[in-house]
Amino acid sequence: MEYAFNKLTKKDVEKLRVGDIVYLNGKIYTARDEAHLKIIEMIKNNEKLPFDLNEAIIYHAGPIMKKVNDCWTCISIGPTTSARMNDIEEEFIKLTNISKVINDMNVDILALQEIETKEALKLLLKKLPKYKYYKFLKNPNASIGVAIISKYPIINTKTIKIDSFDNYNRPILEATIKIKNKTIKILHKI
């Protein structure tokens, strides 16, 4: 199939299949290793990016460029991989994509699974200013934990330990959240 887009959205990309021909019209930003590192650094420092990554498609590309007079012209461009990117790409994808998904859902309270560290959760919350309240819980022997983020105050939390032969078992996170004049309890475990 052939597709032409003036603005490419993630929904558009989801329908594409291997072998499709895609024509893009408008501004296209490509980035190599150093740009990805700079974007991560700027997000961590809560700095404004020079372009909007919402609804953006990240195209890690290897262009062939030619300088004509004082301007650079793209002769050819294609996707590329780089072993140098292996250590940062997961963090880059997490920081630039998951916050968009959560903002689009626009829920009041969200239970998150497979959160690596409290620091990773705080980085995510920098991009989600509506969620002022959170609780993170992780078994010290496990590599990942759980979290609850909320637009409403979390007034109490409790850890419910589960007896198990497995030292990596994750406890249950119980959170009491106040919504207007009422409270609700949420129990969260993977």
Side-chain angles (χ1 to χ4, degrees):
M1 301 261 337
E2 288 189 23
Y3 297 93
F5 297 102
N6 288 322
K7 180 183 179 191
L8 185 64
T9 67
K10 289 180 182 168
K11 221 174 215 181
D12 295 327
V13 171
E14 289 171 0
K15 70 180 175 186
L16 297 176
R17 298 292 171 251
V18 173
D20 286 347
I21 297 170
V22 178
Y23 299 96
L24 300 173
N25 184 30
K27 284 186 182 178
I28 300 171
Y29 297 102
T30 63
R32 293 293 304 250
D33 312 14
E34 291 299 318
H36 288 222
L37 288 169
K38 183 66 176 174
I39 290 168
I40 289 171
E41 177 188 320
M42 290 178 77
I43 290 171
K44 285 182 174 180
N45 292 330
N46 222 15
E47 297 174 36
K48 185 175 178 359
L49 296 175
F51 49 87
D52 186 8
L53 281 177
N54 288 328
E55 282 299 322
I57 306 302
I58 307 302
Y59 186 35
H60 187 161
I64 298 173
M65 305 297 288
K66 180 179 179 181
K67 192 168 189 176
V68 179
N69 298 325
D70 287 334
C71 295
W72 286 96
T73 302
C74 183
I75 304 301
S76 174
I77 191 166
T80 186
T81 59
S82 172
R84 295 182 307 268
M85 296 295 289
N86 289 350
D87 292 339
I88 66 162
E89 207 53 33
E90 182 177 0
E91 181 178 21
F92 182 81
I93 291 167
K94 285 179 182 176
L95 288 174
T96 58
N97 190 31
I98 191 67
S99 61
K100 170 77 171 107
V101 172
I102 292 171
N103 273 323
D104 286 351
M105 290 184 340
N106 195 29
V107 296
D108 292 330
I109 302 166
L110 185 62
L112 301 169
Q113 300 180 357
E114 299 187 10
I115 303 296
E116 293 168 1
T117 62
K118 189 173 187 176
E119 290 72 30
L121 178 64
K122 286 181 178 180
L123 275 177
L124 176 63
L125 290 172
K126 279 185 178 182
K127 306 236 350 137
L128 300 167
K130 293 186 272 186
Y131 298 91
K132 293 183 170 69
Y133 309 96
Y134 71 92
K135 177 63 179 174
F136 173 76
L137 179 63
K138 178 178 165 184
N139 176 332
N141 296 322
S143 60
I144 55 176
V146 297
I148 294 174
I149 63 175
S150 174
K151 294 178 183 176
Y152 296 100
I154 298 174
I155 58 174
N156 190 32
T157 60
K158 181 175 160 185
T159 301
I160 302 171
K161 295 188 180 194
I162 299 172
D163 289 333
S164 166
F165 64 89
D166 179 358
N167 285 336
Y168 300 97
N169 197 340
R170 294 181 210 134
I172 297 171
L173 170 58
E174 178 183 301
T176 305
I177 299 173
K178 186 174 184 175
I179 303 174
K180 298 183 181 168
N181 294 329
K182 298 184 179 193
T183 58
I184 63 168
K185 280 190 193 253
I186 295 178
L187 300 173
H188 181 36
K189 182 185 184 310
I190 294 180

